[in-house]
Amino acid sequence: TRILGIEGTAWAASAALYDSESDDVYIQSDAYEPDSGGIHPREAAEHMHEAIPRVVADVLEHARETADSASEPRATDGSERSSSSQRDSPIDAVAFSQGPGLGPCLRIVGTAARTLSQTLSVPLVGVNHMVAHLEIGRHTAEFDSPVCLNASGANAHLLAYRNGRYRVLGETMDTGVGNAIDKFTRHVGWSHPGGPKVERAAKDGEYVDLPYVVKGMDFSFSGIMSAAKQASDDGTPLEDVCFSLQENVFAMLTEVSERALSLTGSDELVLGGGVGQNARLREMLADMCDQRGADFHAPEPRFLRDNAGMIAVLGAKMYDAGETIALEDSRVDPNYRPDQVPVTWRSDESE
Ligand code: ATP
């Protein structure tokens, strides 16, 4: 199966080709970088408008170049062509991120996917972006039934599979984890995205007291963000604020991840989302898993931050399970939750 994936929920205009036979993932991305402040939805949509056609054209060209080698050896009259080349298309389907994300960006991605599907006469697969963050972890680790911590910009969830759905076991009660960090860095005048800058500054810091809020399986970042801004306004050295911010925010995520492992009885944890690129977060999660004898897996960085590779990989699994959608069902949903998705592509559905 060969799937062209398109991603554009917030900042990454991205297209990818996934070939399930070779397991190759070819990704082309173009990042929106705000001149000042955070992600502005209208500017991000303008970026999508301009960059999506470019990355899609590049990936489509790659798909055409590799289509012949991916097909079965065929007779010169074309009688033994593979399924995609039977339709003269280098791909079998177009998968796109249907949500969650910024509405103006999603609508451009949806339009691009529908156009491509019509032009190439291939079906459409609508992918939930958060489920894709999870599934790329399962795919690259070949874990059976892990708990997943999605630590991304606009979200923070703990997910686990139960009775045909990925259930949300716990989540942020306010902002996503990356957005919370970015709000603090905006306040101190650092450019977007703030996560990598906090990670660098934290290396030289010492601990100062900041709020820590976990309620059962849920957690909150707004109090710690206000306190971090206040601490920097009060003259606390920025490296100390960054260090303490990371320690508390990541300890909160580690605590709920451990609770999720304990409640589900799973001994596998996968990490997803752009904040997963942070070495300190990975270290804390790996230590916790080590202490309880669980396996931990973080996909490589190109699969952690927003990328179309994860959309194409999950798109292929959904396509193979018959999960294509009609044009009239392809509307995007900025609030599309992971537990709205019936999981039909797993063999262990009875769990
Ligand atoms: P979502 O997937 O929820 O839609 P998103 O579209 O904003 O989120 P992601 O690519 O998953 O995007 O994550 C981007 C976030 O990751 C940004 O908030 C950024 O600051 C954060 N981030 C990137 N690198 C690091 C790092 N090294 N440490 C901490 N945070 C990081």
Side-chain angles (χ1 to χ4, degrees), residues 257-296:
S257 300
E258 177 164 34
R259 192 164 295 131
L261 288 171
S262 167
L263 286 174
T264 57
S266 170
D267 58 3
E268 297 166 337
L269 178 70
V270 295
L271 181 59
V275 181
Q277 295 168 106
N278 187 292
R280 180 62 182 141
L281 173 60
R282 288 205 304 269
E283 181 184 42
M284 279 193 197
L285 293 169
D287 281 353
M288 179 273 287
C289 285
D290 202 33
Q291 280 168 28
R292 47 183 301 121
D295 291 324
F296 172 66

Side-chain angles (χ1 to χ4, degrees), residues 10-11 129 133 152-155 178 182 193 195 199 274-275 277-278 305-306:
W11 61 272
H129 174 89
H133 271 310
S152 60
N155 292 276
D182 296 337
E199 180 168 20
V275 181
Q277 295 168 106
N278 187 292
R305 53 181 172 259
D306 284 357

Side-chain angles (χ1 to χ4, degrees), residues 18 23 134-146 268 270 295 297 317:
Y18 174 59
D23 204 29
L134 181 165
E135 281 287 347
I136 195 68
R138 248 184 102 227
H139 180 79
T140 48
E142 301 195 346
F143 275 178
D144 187 26
S145 197
E268 297 166 337
V270 295
D295 291 324
H297 172 67
K317 292 180 201 296

Side-chain angles (χ1 to χ4, degrees), residues 10-243:
W11 61 272
S14 181
L17 178 74
Y18 174 59
D19 184 324
S20 63
E21 207 167 304
S22 61
D23 204 29
D24 280 346
V25 189
Y26 174 84
I27 307 176
Q28 281 298 314
S29 296
D30 190 332
Y32 156 65
E33 282 158 15
D35 292 335
S36 65
I39 295 179
H40 188 291
R42 186 177 45 76
E43 284 178 13
E46 277 165 15
H47 173 74
M48 295 300 160
H49 183 72
E50 191 239 330
I52 288 280
R54 197 165 52 235
V55 290
V56 166
D58 182 304
V59 170
L60 205 51
E61 191 184 323
H62 174 78
R64 291 207 172 94
E65 282 166 10
T66 54
D68 288 338
S69 56
S71 306
E72 291 293 310
R74 55 185 193 244
T76 42
D77 65 357
S79 57
E80 288 177 40
R81 288 177 169 194
S82 70
S83 58
S84 46
S85 49
Q86 258 163 21
R87 286 188 301 267
D88 274 337
S89 163
I91 55 169
D92 293 303
V94 176
F96 70 106
S97 46
Q98 208 171 358
L102 300 171
C105 296
L106 286 171
R107 284 193 283 279
I108 287 168
V109 172
T111 305
R114 282 186 283 270
T115 309
L116 209 55
S117 136
Q118 296 276 292
T119 313
L120 298 175
S121 301
V122 294
L124 268 180
V125 181
V127 172
N128 180 294
H129 174 89
M130 300 318 295
V131 175
H133 271 310
L134 181 165
E135 281 287 347
I136 195 68
R138 248 184 102 227
H139 180 79
T140 48
E142 301 195 346
F143 275 178
D144 187 26
S145 197
V147 165
C148 175
L149 170 64
N150 263 333
S152 60
N155 292 276
H157 290 119
L158 274 145
L159 300 172
Y161 180 78
R162 185 91 189 154
N163 291 335
R165 304 253 164 167
Y166 284 114
R167 311 286 167 180
V168 180
L169 301 181
E171 64 186 309
T172 174
M173 294 185 282
D174 35 59
T175 66
V177 57
N179 288 5
I181 295 172
D182 296 337
K183 276 183 188 155
F184 163 73
T185 51
R186 221 153 49 230
H187 182 78
V188 300
W190 293 351
S191 64
H192 185 87
K197 287 147 200 146
V198 167
E199 180 168 20
R200 267 196 302 279
K203 287 199 168 53
D204 305 314
E206 285 179 20
Y207 189 75
V208 293
D209 202 23
L210 288 178
Y212 179 104
V213 182
V214 170
K215 293 188 187 285
M217 295 293 297
D218 297 325
F219 37 94
S220 156
F221 298 123
S222 65
I224 189 168
M225 277 318 115
S226 307
K229 287 179 191 172
Q230 190 62 52
S232 80
D233 290 350
D234 292 345
T236 309
L238 273 179
E239 58 268 28
D240 293 352
V241 183
C242 289
F243 175 81

